[in-house]
Amino acid sequence: MKWYYVVGLTVAITIITYLIKIPLPSKGYFNFGDVAVVFSGLFLGWKGGGIAGGVGSALADLIGGFPLYAPLTLIAKGAEGLLSGLGKNRKGFLHYFFPLLGVIMMVAFYFAGEIYMPQIGIGGAIAELPSNLIQAGVGLAGGILLDKVIRD
């Protein structure tokens, strides 16, 4: 893993997450950054994927006006990138299983974290669950597809 790939993908995640977003009722937003997070994990491995996914996504929250989400995003997207990265260089089922586990953990971390945010609570966490699941599915499919295109 080369450091400049980590930096480059961190910046790419920040830009994609910041520029392509759809506001949600809880003041969060739906974005396509998960495509880049899953791809980063598969391309960089667990360490680089965790760093790029967590830091890049949290930076997008900070510069995009959602600082309340930044700590939760750092953990959720960092875990998504890290777990996706465990699929790097694996064949067959495991190549897809680890990114799937990553997006599931991302959704679980957001759900649990939002429950304890005073401005969101259980009602907001439940309301955001469908969009988080859609975002996870798009991120999983897009990240795997992008990895396949780059590697083939």
Side-chain angles (χ1 to χ4, degrees):
M1 174 183 66
K2 305 212 185 303
W3 67 269
Y4 46 86
Y5 287 147
V6 177
V7 171
L9 285 168
T10 300
V11 170
I13 290 167
T14 302
I15 291 169
I16 291 166
T17 303
Y18 176 73
L19 291 180
I20 307 170
K21 58 187 169 191
I22 301 164
L24 295 173
S26 70
K27 303 196 174 140
Y29 57 91
F30 175 90
N31 67 77
F32 293 95
D34 289 286
V35 172
V37 173
V38 170
F39 169 75
S40 293
L42 289 170
F43 185 77
L44 298 170
W46 68 271
K47 190 187 313 183
I51 293 168
V55 173
S57 300
L59 282 173
D61 281 349
L62 289 173
I63 65 174
F66 297 93
L68 178 66
Y69 272 89
L72 178 56
T73 295
L74 178 68
I75 294 166
K77 303 292 181 145
E80 179 183 17
L82 184 150
L83 289 167
S84 293
L86 293 174
K88 180 182 179 179
N89 299 328
R90 306 257 183 167
K91 302 292 180 208
F93 172 75
L94 291 178
H95 182 72
Y96 303 104
F97 172 74
F98 286 113
L100 175 62
L101 186 59
V103 298
I104 290 169
M105 289 305 299
M106 179 270 295
V107 171
F109 276 127
Y110 270 114
F111 184 76
E114 288 171 343
I115 288 173
Y116 294 103
M117 289 179 162
Q119 301 86 339
I120 299 172
I122 185 76
I126 291 170
E128 280 205 8
L129 192 57
S131 61
N132 284 341
L133 288 168
I134 292 167
Q135 182 170 308
V138 169
L140 178 66
I144 289 172
L145 181 62
L146 185 57
D147 180 64
K148 182 160 181 51
V149 167
I150 295 294
R151 294 194 189 276
D152 287 347

